[in-house]
Amino acid sequence: ILGGKEHLLETFIDITARKQTEAELQRSADVVNNIQVGLYIYHLEKPEEDDVLRILGANQATVELLGIPTEDVVGRTIDECFPAIKENGLAKIYADVARNGVGVNLEDVFYGDERIADSYFSIKAFPLPGSCVGVAFEDITERKKMDEAINTIMKNTLTGTGQKFFDQLVKSICDWSGTDCTLVGEFIEDNKVRVLSMYLDGKFKYGYTYDLEGTPCENAVEHGFCAIIDDVQKRFPKDSDLVEMGAVS
């Protein structure tokens, strides 16, 4: 009340900038939480001690890649969550990134413990403000196995020529893939395939010819690749050889 009269005082604060900042932070958080690369944020609490790195945050991909819920790691130290990490020197590397502000890329990093199966990872560690370090990682175990398998197959077949080459090739593929049958064939007249070498149930077979039509091989020829994980006989009822071999996939 002023001068015997009631007055109304209104004040306004422009919060547009704050709202825009909040929206940008939320968008960033959504991106981080939905990317398919695992991401941990560590804080280096004691610069003089390499292993005192505490996890401040983790995205959903870490759960999918490692099988460890975020609530089990956030707030805990790196050695509490990953007890074998000191052995490969990763804690020191992460701490150096936080201290020096220089990121690192690491390939073929092997890690495993009681909760995490032995795996290979590709890791990128990058500095963040406040003595923090971000660690993005991908599980490259399957890619690593594939590379090793290709190298093994190449090594096993380089010494062979002619029939020996084909025999070594099909056996190496069977050994690597764990399948019961692998074959290499060539096209001949009337849409037929002549088998150059077949490795079936631990034995080689030769002198075998089959019609391409109605077989998984026909799909592979048409599309460049064919993978049937189940019920292969039902999907290719005209292929009597699948029945004879008892093929499932």
Side-chain angles (χ1 to χ4, degrees):
I1 298 175
L2 184 62
K5 296 182 179 180
E6 292 186 355
H7 294 75
L8 177 64
L9 177 65
E10 294 184 3
T11 60
F12 299 90
I13 300 176
D14 188 346
I15 62 171
T16 303
R18 191 185 76 188
K19 284 296 188 181
Q20 290 176 341
T21 300
E22 290 176 351
E24 290 173 1
L25 289 174
Q26 185 58 53
R27 282 196 295 270
S28 298
D30 290 340
V31 170
V32 168
N33 201 47
N34 287 285
I35 58 175
Q36 298 305 304
V37 175
L39 178 64
Y40 283 119
I41 306 298
Y42 295 96
H43 176 239
L44 181 61
E45 295 185 339
K46 299 179 181 179
E48 69 279 5
E49 297 181 23
D50 293 333
D51 60 345
V52 185
L53 288 157
R54 192 171 300 278
I55 300 176
L56 300 184
N59 69 350
Q60 182 59 33
T62 63
V63 181
E64 297 168 0
L65 289 168
L66 303 181
I68 303 176
T70 56
E71 58 267 24
D72 287 358
V73 296
V74 173
R76 302 178 68 186
T77 61
I78 191 171
D79 55 312
E80 288 176 327
C81 299
F82 309 109
I85 206 163
K86 289 183 180 179
E87 299 174 8
N88 55 17
L90 285 178
K92 184 180 187 308
I93 292 173
Y94 298 164
D96 286 342
V97 171
R99 272 193 295 263
N100 304 327
V102 180
V104 295
N105 294 325
L106 306 170
E107 291 292 332
D108 298 340
V109 176
F110 180 80
Y111 184 83
D113 58 34
E114 292 182 355
R115 294 192 296 178
I116 301 173
D118 291 348
S119 305
Y120 286 92
F121 298 93
S122 173
I123 297 174
K124 181 176 183 179
F126 51 93
L128 293 172
S131 297
C132 291
V133 55
V135 177
F137 64 93
E138 293 181 89
D139 188 333
I140 60 169
T141 306
E142 292 305 316
R143 188 178 77 193
K144 182 78 173 176
K145 289 180 180 179
M146 180 66 72
D147 290 342
E148 292 176 351
I150 291 174
N151 290 334
T152 300
I153 291 172
M154 292 296 294
K155 180 180 179 180
N156 290 342
T157 56
L158 283 176
T159 58
T161 59
Q163 188 61 50
K164 183 180 179 181
F165 168 81
F166 293 119
D167 289 347
Q168 289 175 336
L169 177 62
V170 294
K171 185 177 186 303
S172 294
I173 294 176
C174 267
D175 291 343
W176 163 70
S177 62
T179 54
D180 297 317
C181 178
T182 299
L183 66 85
V184 175
E186 63 177 348
F187 294 112
I188 57 177
E189 69 279 355
D190 300 326
N191 202 33
K192 293 182 181 293
V193 176
R194 177 191 293 125
V195 173
L196 300 175
S197 181
M198 174 189 285
Y199 194 66
L200 174 63
D201 295 332
K203 298 179 181 179
F204 291 103
K205 293 187 67 175
Y206 309 102
Y208 174 60
T209 301
Y210 66 92
D211 292 317
L212 184 64
E213 184 179 357
T215 68
C217 295
E218 183 182 35
N219 273 26
V221 171
E222 291 178 355
H223 305 290
F225 179 79
C226 178
I228 310 298
I229 62 173
D230 201 7
D231 292 332
V232 66
Q233 294 183 34
K234 292 181 179 179
R235 295 193 60 175
F236 299 93
K238 294 182 179 180
D239 192 341
S240 58
D241 291 332
L242 295 176
V243 177
E244 184 178 343
M245 290 187 292
V248 176
S249 60

